[in-house]
Amino acid sequence: MKDSMSRREFLKKSTLAGAAALILPSTLLAACSSNSSSSSSSNDGAATKKNKIKIGFIPLTDCASVVMAKELGLFEKYGVDVDVTKEASWAAVRDKLISGDLNAAHCLFGMPFSVYTGVGGAAGTELPIAMVLNANGQAITLANKFSQAGFRDLKAAKSAIEKIMAGRETTFAMTFPGGTHDLWLRYWLGAAGVDQTKLKIITIPPPQMVANMKVGNMDGYSVGEPWNGVGVRENIGFTHISSQDIWKDHPEKALVLNKAWSSQTEEVKAVMKAVLEASKWLDNLDNRKEAAKVIGHQAYVNAPAETIENRLLGKYDLGAGLGEHVYTDDYMLFHKDGSVNLPRKSHAMFFMAQYVRFGFLDQHPEYEKIADKLIMKDLYREVAGEMGISLPDDDMKPFQLKLDGAAFDPSDPVGSLKQYGG
């Protein structure tokens, strides 16, 4: 980017200034971008009004595109006045999106479908998805006592887990029923052949995972970074498998909207454009060190910048003496030339099919109708077109999961479940 050096200087200064200085006055942020706009509309497609917009986030590395859109002055560039607010749990995000206390949020891709189908909220409640924020970059951390399970060894994992289960209750944690972390955990257990009905699966907010593991509340957890990397750093567990090992380039977090605010089209589009520009910035690996410093501060993720940076770059210290694994093309991605950000109906349908598979739903939902209702695909296409971002043509086409080779055909979600047996 033409102004990359000035932004680099700005980020370093804001880092040194401490967490309180991360939310800078609008005049300083405007100075960081040569293309900053006023509150009136411009060639950037800026919104015409500056109503205060609140966007929530959970302290996870993949909140980066929302946070950096703020820190780089991109919301202001597109003419919207945005506050980004740290939230305590995914349940709190859900409730604030429903009530309107939040206009939008960095959110689990699966949450809107979980809520709408009654798995994780009041059935029929609509939380529209404007765009996908990132792919990949989650993991399953196991306590060190399971170290014989190694890295990505399903057979060894099954043996280690069942050995523990034979002697006592075994507990794993995820972050929200029917959310992405819940599905990665259950999908992995299913692929390993572990009987999930004999396990206890609990809900823990992401930033509390490491502390709960330390005091023995669970034997493993499924969560986003940096909390898997922090678990290794603090020697309370090891990274057994990453989410990209389960499903390469899977949808992870999404920009989810309050239903009423979703009709404020120009404001929504301006927010999306700012986040998309930040997503492009983040996929330049030269910028990830700077991003790690900013989001690592107490005001945001509150975790060591080095741990955040390493996993952002695909460098995984696995822990438990397992060495390092480097992901070369499937680390956390925020844009990937536009292939990340399109919200796909087929992915929505996959999540809902897994709800049936894992017993959350006792009958098949109206797959395509729900996906149409919750995914704002037409709006995303409009924004992408205005920004010159390419649109993938793979939606509603079959795709395959890496872990077990299972294929999902969105034209036949019911039939797609038959390959799992049972």
Side-chain angles (χ1 to χ4, degrees), residues 114-125:
S114 172
V115 171
Y116 190 88
T117 57
V119 172
T125 302

Side-chain angles (χ1 to χ4, degrees), residues 327-375:
Y327 291 94
T328 58
D329 67 345
D330 53 356
Y331 40 72
M332 189 179 291
L333 297 167
F334 296 89
H335 187 61
K336 198 177 181 181
D337 298 323
S339 68
V340 168
N341 308 114
L342 174 70
R344 293 165 173 83
K345 289 170 51 179
S346 56
H347 293 170
M349 296 165 74
F350 171 82
F351 271 74
M352 289 185 281
Q354 297 303 307
Y355 297 163
V356 176
R357 176 191 175 194
F358 295 127
F360 288 135
L361 300 176
D362 56 13
Q363 60 184 7
H364 290 279
E366 296 179 288
Y367 289 103
E368 192 162 4
K369 181 179 178 180
I370 296 171
D372 281 334
K373 186 181 291 287
L374 298 181
I375 288 185

Side-chain angles (χ1 to χ4, degrees), residues 90-91 108 173-177 181-182 202-206 209 222-224:
W90 291 121
L108 299 162
M174 49 77 191
T175 64
F176 187 83
H181 304 130
D182 190 16
I202 61 175
T203 303
I204 301 287
M209 286 293 190
S222 173
V223 76

Side-chain angles (χ1 to χ4, degrees), residues 40-99:
S40 61
S41 62
S42 73
N43 291 334
D44 293 318
T48 57
K49 295 181 180 179
K50 276 202 171 184
N51 299 316
K52 179 67 72 175
I53 296 168
K54 290 187 177 181
I55 303 179
F57 70 91
I58 291 290
L60 289 161
T61 299
D62 52 28
C63 75
S65 58
V66 171
V67 168
M68 294 312 300
K70 177 71 174 180
E71 290 295 326
L72 294 170
L74 297 175
F75 290 125
E76 192 167 56
K77 171 181 174 179
Y78 288 101
V80 282
D81 184 7
V82 171
D83 281 345
V84 293
T85 65
K86 183 190 288 191
E87 304 300 331
S89 68
W90 291 121
V93 169
R94 173 201 60 198
D95 294 345
K96 289 184 177 183
L97 282 172
I98 293 170
S99 69

Side-chain angles (χ1 to χ4, degrees), residues 192-338:
V194 175
D195 185 352
Q196 297 176 36
T197 65
K198 296 181 179 179
L199 291 168
K200 185 177 181 182
I201 297 178
I202 61 175
T203 303
I204 301 287
Q208 298 177 25
M209 286 293 190
V210 173
N212 275 273
M213 187 91 127
K214 279 183 177 179
V215 298
N217 286 343
M218 64 269 202
D219 300 288
Y221 57 80
S222 173
V223 76
E225 298 300 343
W227 306 115
N228 301 289
V230 172
V232 170
R233 183 186 180 99
E234 299 193 12
N235 198 34
I236 57 95
F238 66 99
T239 299
H240 169 66
I241 193 169
S242 75
S243 57
Q244 54 265 40
D245 295 320
I246 298 171
W247 176 7
K248 183 178 178 180
D249 292 350
H250 63 80
E252 180 50 43
K253 301 303 187 299
L255 184 67
V256 176
L257 312 181
N258 163 265
K259 172 63 175 175
W261 186 69
S262 69
S263 65
Q264 301 299 311
T265 305
E266 292 308 310
E267 287 185 343
V268 174
K269 286 172 63 177
V271 166
M272 292 170 68
K273 288 176 181 179
V275 173
L276 280 165
E277 189 167 329
S279 300
K280 292 181 181 180
W281 185 86
L282 283 160
D283 268 6
N284 179 344
L285 296 187
D286 291 340
N287 293 328
R288 292 198 173 190
K289 184 179 184 70
E290 298 166 15
K293 289 179 181 179
V294 173
I295 67 174
H297 268 292
Q298 185 177 9
Y300 296 129
V301 178
N302 192 23
E306 181 184 8
T307 301
I308 296 172
E309 178 189 347
N310 283 340
R311 297 218 167 185
L312 270 176
L313 295 173
K315 299 175 182 177
Y316 284 48
D317 175 4
L318 300 173
L322 297 173
E324 180 180 84
H325 181 80
V326 178
Y327 291 94
T328 58
D329 67 345
D330 53 356
Y331 40 72
M332 189 179 291
L333 297 167
F334 296 89
H335 187 61
K336 198 177 181 181
D337 298 323

